[in-house]
Amino acid sequence: MDIFSMFSALGGSVTTFLAFVVALSVIVSVHEYGHYIVGRWSGIDAEVFSLGFGPVVFSWVDKRGTRWQLAALPFGGYVKFVGDANAASVGSDAAVAPARNTMEGAPLWARAATVSAGPIFNFVLSILIFAGIAMFNGSPREPLTVGELNNVPYEVGLLPGDEVLEIAGIKVPGPNDEETFDDLLRALPVQSNLDYLLRRDGQEMVINTAHPMPALVVQLAPQSAAYESGFRPGDVITHVNGKPILAFLQLQEAVLAAEGAPLPLTVWRDGEVMDFTLSAKRVDEPQPGGGFETNWRIGIVGGMLFRPGTETLPFGQAMNAGVNMTWSIISGSFSGLYHMASGAISSCNMSGPLGIAQVSGAMARQGLENFVYFIGILSTAVGLLNLFPIPVLDGGHLTFYAYEAVTRRKPSPRALKFLMTAGLTVILSLTVFALTNDLFCP
């Protein structure tokens, strides 16, 4: 039994806590190591590298004199550089001019590089995670090839290795075609049997089988109606309001038509038939061209009758996919903040620590890949948040350094103290606001 199977066997609260601690520890460790290693390269010595806060559980001192420690409260971490007055690297303990190996005494470029490194390492972690997942999953073969068959409540007739050329007389699009596979799905008639033109063992043949996109659950959105109702990956929704459905598109149409009213669903799960009733939630969804669209969703990601066969994705393409995904999260976050501030979408889209913890647990219960993917998303969010020009955050330090670069002098200790207090107030206020969302938003 792996750790994620163990997560599933544990109680919800335990799973949520452990998953949140694991995700946060990975992200904080990478962030703080960025500060530490770039500071070291820049000639700034670290006194303490701490994962967690509070009483020290375990520690050791390396040959450079840095104390590496694990503290009792695993909800963050810090690097305290030599001469720092505190873990935020604000002010100095030195009574005289600080030495070159301290944050205060280092040249401006070294301080800026050291502070920037934390968020940058978070972005690099995200890129590597997304690129690794892309390489692991590979890219679909051309032509569309049947890989592993999914478990559904009827005979499919397809075999692994079959090449699907046409469905219901419509050519299956390739990567260079103007049409997409989604266009094909929308064009297909919704009926129980469709003709598939296949190439099997070099010979073309036609078989008659089900719609390629049944109402099969492959993933659940955390905090969604389906997740909260007890749906699982692998479930197949066979009836809505007592009427049989043959395709995922029919489920989407029924959810939209219900507009949040209770929706009775019949589900097939490994040979057992079960009944659920759930109500869709309004979800603000980012659009490819920018902006958001609000729709009714129950939180199900659908899958095909089979998993497409894949081939290894070249390293360069995988890295490009990682960069694009990371940038998509960054741009989507800015768009979301703008639309929340303008009132175009609900402020409930901002999650606090409880919401993040709940999502951590939900993703862990859905398997290793989903959990690692979530760490990639959260790492980007943490890196971006730290670049905001708010004192106490890395972006606040960089703002001070920009001021110093322009004026040729550092902000006064009095101004720093006031700004740091104001920044801490802003952060605490945002945390309380987000925590309120966690507790009271639907």
Side-chain angles (χ1 to χ4, degrees):
M1 178 181 289
D2 62 29
I3 187 172
F4 296 94
S5 299
M6 292 171 63
F7 275 166
S8 297
L10 293 170
S13 297
V14 176
T15 301
T16 296
F17 176 78
L18 289 178
F20 181 56
V21 168
V22 170
L24 192 62
S25 297
V26 169
I27 292 166
V28 169
S29 296
V30 169
H31 180 97
E32 297 302 332
Y33 187 76
H35 290 315
Y36 163 78
I37 193 64
V38 173
R40 198 180 87 183
W41 293 340
S42 303
I44 304 172
D45 293 333
E47 188 175 288
V48 178
F49 186 110
S50 181
L51 182 58
F53 298 98
V56 176
V57 176
F58 171 80
S59 70
W60 65 283
V61 179
D62 67 14
K63 63 182 180 180
R64 296 177 177 273
T66 301
R67 178 175 296 279
W68 298 76
Q69 64 184 39
L70 180 66
L73 302 176
F75 301 110
Y78 62 89
V79 176
K80 185 175 183 293
F81 292 99
V82 171
D84 286 348
N86 50 59
S89 296
V90 177
S92 173
D93 284 335
V96 294
R100 169 62 180 83
N101 69 332
T102 67
M103 182 66 86
E104 284 287 304
L108 182 60
W109 69 265
R111 286 178 277 142
T114 300
V115 169
S116 301
I120 290 172
F121 269 51
N122 280 134
F123 297 143
V124 171
L125 173 63
S126 297
I127 291 169
L128 293 176
I129 285 175
F130 297 139
I133 290 174
M135 289 189 69
F136 176 78
N137 289 331
S139 58
R141 291 180 190 165
E142 169 64 22
L144 177 64
T145 304
V146 177
E148 183 180 348
L149 294 170
N150 283 315
N151 191 21
V152 292
Y154 38 77
E155 290 294 327
V156 174
L158 297 169
L159 297 176
D162 285 349
E163 297 176 348
V164 185
L165 308 177
E166 294 182 1
I167 304 176
I170 304 174
K171 178 181 177 293
V172 175
N176 299 320
D177 292 334
E178 203 171 300
E179 295 80 14
T180 66
F181 194 74
D182 285 340
D183 294 328
L184 167 67
L185 293 175
R186 284 190 289 267
L188 290 176
V190 179
Q191 57 191 53
S192 57
N193 290 287
L194 299 172
D195 287 333
Y196 286 58
L197 176 62
L198 309 175
R199 185 183 294 120
R200 178 180 293 171
D201 297 328
Q203 301 294 320
E204 290 191 1
M205 60 183 298
V206 176
I207 70 166
N208 192 264
T209 191
H211 194 281
M213 191 80 174
L216 168 67
V217 179
V218 296
Q219 189 176 339
L220 297 164
Q223 301 177 310
S224 65
Y227 182 85
E228 293 170 355
S229 298
F231 275 71
R232 298 178 187 173
D235 288 348
V236 180
I237 300 169
T238 60
H239 294 76
V240 177
N241 272 325
K243 298 179 180 178
I245 60 170
L246 306 171
F248 191 80
L249 179 62
Q250 291 176 292
L251 175 63
Q252 290 178 309
E253 292 172 347
V255 168
L256 291 174
E259 296 184 337
L263 196 62
L265 303 176
T266 302
V267 171
W268 179 89
R269 177 183 294 170
D270 292 329
E272 182 181 358
V273 177
M274 313 173 71
D275 291 318
F276 293 84
T277 299
L278 49 78
S279 299
K281 298 181 179 182
R282 293 182 68 89
V283 178
D284 297 313
E285 300 174 327
Q287 300 301 299
F292 285 78
E293 182 176 287
T294 302
N295 287 305
W296 293 100
R297 297 289 187 238
I298 60 174
I300 286 174
V301 178
M304 297 172 59
L305 286 175
F306 57 88
R307 299 175 189 176
T310 60
E311 54 191 11
T312 303
L313 191 67
F315 177 78
Q317 290 184 29
M319 290 300 295
N320 185 58
V323 170
N324 289 339
M325 183 62 194
T326 302
W327 174 247
S328 175
I329 296 169
I330 293 172
S331 58
S333 297
F334 278 120
S335 178
L337 289 172
Y338 170 78
H339 284 84
M340 277 188 281
S342 65
I345 63 174
S346 171
S347 61
C348 285
N349 285 282
M350 179 182 292
S351 293
L354 285 180
I356 295 170
Q358 290 169 353
V359 174
S360 299
M363 298 303 277
R365 280 186 285 268
Q366 294 188 63
L368 175 60
E369 182 179 328
N370 288 316
F371 184 62
V372 172
Y373 187 82
F374 172 71
I375 290 177
I377 295 174
L378 189 58
S379 183
T380 300
V382 169
L384 180 61
L385 175 64
N386 271 278
L387 285 177
F388 277 49
I390 301 173
V392 310
L393 297 180
D394 295 331
H397 287 280
L398 293 173
T399 302
F400 296 150
Y401 298 155
Y403 171 85
E404 182 180 344
V406 172
T407 64
R408 303 296 180 183
R409 55 189 172 85
K410 297 179 180 180
S412 69
R414 183 178 178 182
L416 274 178
K417 184 177 180 180
F418 171 78
L419 290 171
M420 295 299 287
T421 301
L424 184 59
T425 302
V426 170
I427 294 299
L428 290 175
S429 299
L430 288 174
T431 301
V432 170
F433 176 76
L435 187 58
T436 303
N437 282 353
D438 294 341
L439 295 173
F440 298 110
C441 283

